[in-house]
Amino acid sequence: MTAASVWSVDPRTGKRREQVAVEATAEEVDSAVREAHAARDALADRAVRAAFLRSAAAGLETAGALLIEVADAETALGPVRLTGELARTVYQLRSFADLVDEGAFLDVVIDHPDAAATPPVPDLRRWKIPLGVVAVYAASNFPFAFSVAGGDTASALAAGCPVVVKAHPDHPALSELIAKVLRRAAAGHGLPAGVVGLVHGFTAGVDLVRHPLLAAAGFTGSVRGGRALFDAAAARPVPIPFHGELGSLNPVVVTGAAAAERAQEIGAGLAASMTLGVGQFCVKPGLVLVPSGAEGDGLVKALTDAVSDTEPGVLLDHRMRDAFLAGVAERAALPEVESPVTPGAAGAHTVGAGFLTVPAARLTGAGGAHEPLLQECFGPVTVVARYEDEDELAAVLERLPGSLTATVQLSPAEAAGQGDAAGLLARLTPLAGRVVVDGWPTGVAVAPAQHHGGPYPATTSTSTSVGGTAVERWLRPVAYQNTPEPLLPPELRDGNPLGLPRRYDGVLER
């Protein structure tokens, strides 16, 4: 059988740009994984890893103009957005290089023998080691930051794990270019090309997660696709960790006091957040709980005005466009759902932003017809649910699935501690991995304290895919007991020869 061609497609026209590659066969997937597995020892030196990551960042900067041109041609996300995303990706690579240099992620703990303890403590020395080859499933909506050189790849390489990336079909030409940049950076530090593998094709993605030498996987995409791969990872003879980001509703609660005081500001902010990137952000606010009555009416009016002024946009591909139109039509047809600004087709290749409204009472019953309103609809649309009182608000919150974020808009008095704002945050915290107050969830800072994850279906694990602690996904702890010092890794020897942050007989060394 002839392998299927992989084409670069312009989403603004639906036309093919160029043939980029062919879908990988099972043999080619096997070869990529085996080359990555053979490259593990080459990544053992932390200094080399850090230098490699910095060279990769510099290489992306050097090739930036070409990369942005190709990314825009394949995604229609625009040069301004893509320039910022590339800068974020470069910063992320350098941040992980700094983390590798520091070494705290190794979590070194040393306990010397204590015969007087009950039970007696032997000599124990614990640290974390890389899992092995990591599969990275690239995202459609972030061609730089969550794709070939994105956070999963950067954190895995920082941990000392080679990667094999399954390219996303929406930006295959860009994926090939970025893989070449990474491999050139690797070669500059004596690393084999196998430290970064790249394969194309749906079947290749399935073959990849089933490969016996694969140690872990990171995924960003749909609930359906991610759950299928998650189940495949769990069904292997030797199950592996699967860190998937699947789908997120990202609820927003607007209090009555906030709506009364800041309706115009909140409406404009919500419109900007829900339409950012044509609504294709994983943290787009998809459900907004707004009080009924005059205060909430003012907010809906402000949202109507702001969304009406939003220009139509192009989604990442026509499959997503079809899914968006079908999803909006399904939701708009439900009883008591209204559409102050109707989202939908705005041309042969574009879509217009809009929003739906519904009485919150329609969302409080489990398994009802309005269940689709509690599911992510990818694209420039949100649902505004009007609640009558605090009890109805609480009933809706109890029905919500896990999300990456949960947001609350408060009045200044509530933000200062008056009323039950703390109680509201306590109800939102179990729903999400990041709670936002008086802001919007779109925009995920790359920072040590960041957490980008949440209860299922937002993610399949409790880990983050953004920030320094993302490296923890690709490590496992090992303790050495009564091991002679010459046989220990240098990181675990007395005297701290590498100057690492360590916990030494209960005391944190710096």
Side-chain angles (χ1 to χ4, degrees):
M1 177 184 290
T2 303
S5 298
V6 175
W7 289 86
S8 173
V9 177
D10 183 347
R12 293 182 174 95
T13 64
K15 295 181 179 179
R16 291 175 170 177
R17 297 177 60 249
E18 61 176 327
Q19 182 181 343
V20 173
V22 295
E23 295 186 355
T25 64
E27 292 75 17
E28 288 167 336
V29 172
D30 176 68
S31 177
V33 175
R34 291 187 181 281
E35 287 180 16
H37 189 260
R40 291 172 303 153
D41 289 347
L43 282 174
D45 189 318
R46 285 192 299 117
V48 171
R49 295 208 302 269
F52 167 36
L53 291 169
R54 292 190 177 98
S55 292
L60 292 177
E61 285 180 325
T62 299
L66 173 61
L67 297 177
I68 290 167
E69 178 185 351
V70 173
D72 182 50
E74 291 190 312
T75 67
L77 289 173
V80 174
R81 149 71 194 275
L82 292 167
T83 298
E85 188 185 332
L86 179 58
R88 167 205 171 102
T89 304
V90 166
Y91 175 79
Q92 190 165 244
L93 287 164
R94 290 182 172 133
S95 295
F96 277 112
D98 292 343
L99 179 142
V100 172
D101 281 339
E102 179 197 57
F105 73 100
L106 297 172
D107 198 17
V108 176
V109 182
I110 296 175
D111 289 320
H112 285 98
D114 184 355
T118 304
V121 176
D123 187 282
L124 289 170
R125 299 167 188 244
R126 181 186 188 271
W127 71 328
K128 292 179 179 177
I129 65 172
L131 289 174
V133 181
V134 170
V136 173
Y137 291 83
S140 62
N141 54 340
F142 282 88
F144 292 117
F146 283 84
S147 294
V148 177
D152 286 348
T153 295
S155 59
L157 292 172
C161 296
V163 299
V164 178
V165 181
K166 190 274 179 186
H168 197 279
D170 280 352
H171 35 81
L174 179 68
S175 297
E176 288 285 343
L177 289 173
I178 292 178
K180 289 177 182 177
V181 170
L182 296 184
R183 288 169 183 155
R184 281 198 298 270
H189 297 281
L191 296 171
V195 297
V196 179
L198 182 69
V199 297
H200 296 267
F202 173 82
T203 302
V206 177
D207 291 339
L208 183 57
V209 79
R210 291 175 174 167
H211 197 286
L213 293 181
L214 194 74
F219 171 91
T220 304
S222 68
V223 173
R224 181 180 178 184
R227 183 54 193 257
L229 291 169
F230 174 74
D231 290 346
R236 292 163 43 114
V238 178
I240 59 172
F242 183 90
H243 300 284
E245 180 189 323
L246 310 187
S248 187
L249 191 61
N250 305 304
V252 177
V253 176
V254 182
T255 68
E261 295 186 26
R262 300 190 291 116
Q264 191 69 34
E265 176 189 337
I266 294 172
L270 172 58
S273 183
M274 60 159 281
T275 62
L276 185 64
V278 202
Q280 297 173 114
F281 275 50
C282 51
V283 288
K284 179 201 75 176
L287 176 69
V288 188
L289 290 148
V290 173
S292 59
E295 296 88 353
D297 291 345
L299 194 157
V300 171
K301 173 63 165 61
L303 179 62
T304 299
D305 293 343
V307 172
S308 297
D309 290 339
T310 302
E311 293 294 325
V314 177
L315 296 181
L316 290 161
D317 62 39
H318 281 63
R319 176 182 56 82
M320 292 184 187
R321 182 177 184 274
D322 291 344
F324 170 72
L325 297 177
V328 166
E330 176 191 14
R331 291 161 173 79
L334 295 172
E336 293 192 74
V337 171
E338 298 180 359
S339 181
V341 182
T342 302
H349 306 289
T350 57
V351 297
F355 70 99
L356 310 174
T357 63
V358 65
R362 283 289 191 172
L363 306 179
T364 60
H370 290 74
E371 197 74 18
L373 298 178
L374 301 182
Q375 300 167 1
E376 179 185 25
C377 186
F378 197 69
V381 64
T382 195
V383 174
V384 176
R386 306 293 300 273
Y387 65 91
E388 295 292 337
D389 52 36
E390 298 302 314
D391 289 341
E392 194 167 81
L393 171 61
V396 174
L397 293 179
E398 288 177 359
R399 293 274 297 110
L400 298 187
S403 283
L404 294 167
T405 70
T407 298
V408 60
Q409 297 288 339
L410 304 172
S411 70
E414 289 170 325
Q418 297 180 25
D420 190 35
L424 180 55
L425 258 66
R427 288 195 291 275
L428 291 175
T429 298
L431 299 177
R434 177 164 58 104
V435 178
V436 181
V437 179
D438 290 343
W440 298 103
T442 39
V444 184
V446 179
Q450 184 59 272
H451 186 84
H452 189 64
Y456 187 86
T459 51
T460 60
S461 72
T462 59
S463 302
T464 179
S465 60
V466 179
T469 53
V471 73
E472 295 173 1
R473 296 174 296 167
W474 321 120
L475 299 164
R476 69 176 181 89
V478 174
Y480 292 87
Q481 181 170 327
N482 294 336
T483 303
E485 180 145 324
L487 304 183
L488 287 169
E491 291 84 352
L492 300 182
R493 295 176 186 173
D494 288 335
N496 202 0
L498 301 182
L500 295 173
R502 311 190 305 179
R503 188 164 293 279
Y504 192 82
D505 287 337
V507 177
L508 185 63
E509 295 182 336
R510 296 184 183 276

